[in-house]
Amino acid sequence: HIHPAPQLMAMPEGTPALLQEGIRRASRVFLADPPFAATALRSVVEALLTDQGVPALTPNGKFLSADKRIREWEAAGPKREATARLLLAVKWIGNEGTHEVGNLSAEDVLEGASFLDEAFHRLYIGPDLDFRAQQINSLREDPPAS
């Protein structure tokens, strides 16, 4: 038992609280129960999709599958294919943990965490870095010649 549990991944400053809690949950059970940790990471994908504005329910109140939600998110904006693939891989690893259909290892969970880490980077760190770089560049560029 290690307390506090080592985090499976670093969480960017702008990461929503619900996603942070999901990563902490997965981290707490990772060493004791890798399949459950994988399931927790899958839940983070669902929370991320909700944070990104993809509804979890149909207008009739029925749950939408994670697969459908990922595809919907991917189709809603440009250049989302690579990030959608990362989310889909975490979903599959989580499904394996949830349904106990395979022999999920700690290494598999770490791989899922690395995919999620990259998705977080693209969604929460990358845009902030681009904005900050743009600010610096605009302050340093020579004014246009008259």
Side-chain angles (χ1 to χ4, degrees), residues 50-129:
T50 299
D51 180 67
Q52 292 287 307
V54 181
L57 302 172
T58 67
N60 298 339
K62 295 185 180 195
F63 283 102
L64 289 168
S65 71
D67 218 78
K68 185 171 179 76
R69 294 179 74 204
I70 291 167
R71 301 292 179 206
E72 186 177 317
W73 176 82
E74 179 182 11
K79 299 182 182 180
R80 292 185 172 184
E81 299 85 12
T83 305
R85 280 193 301 270
L86 294 168
L87 298 176
L88 195 58
V90 176
K91 182 211 72 136
W92 285 119
I93 293 168
N95 281 1
E96 190 169 327
T98 299
H99 300 298
E100 300 178 11
V101 293
N103 192 14
L104 199 67
S105 69
E107 289 80 17
D108 296 325
V109 176
L110 289 174
E111 185 172 41
S114 71
F115 296 153
L116 201 51
D117 182 57
E118 179 58 22
F120 275 33
H121 180 81
R122 292 176 185 189
L123 295 171
Y124 298 107
I125 296 175
D128 184 50
L129 288 175

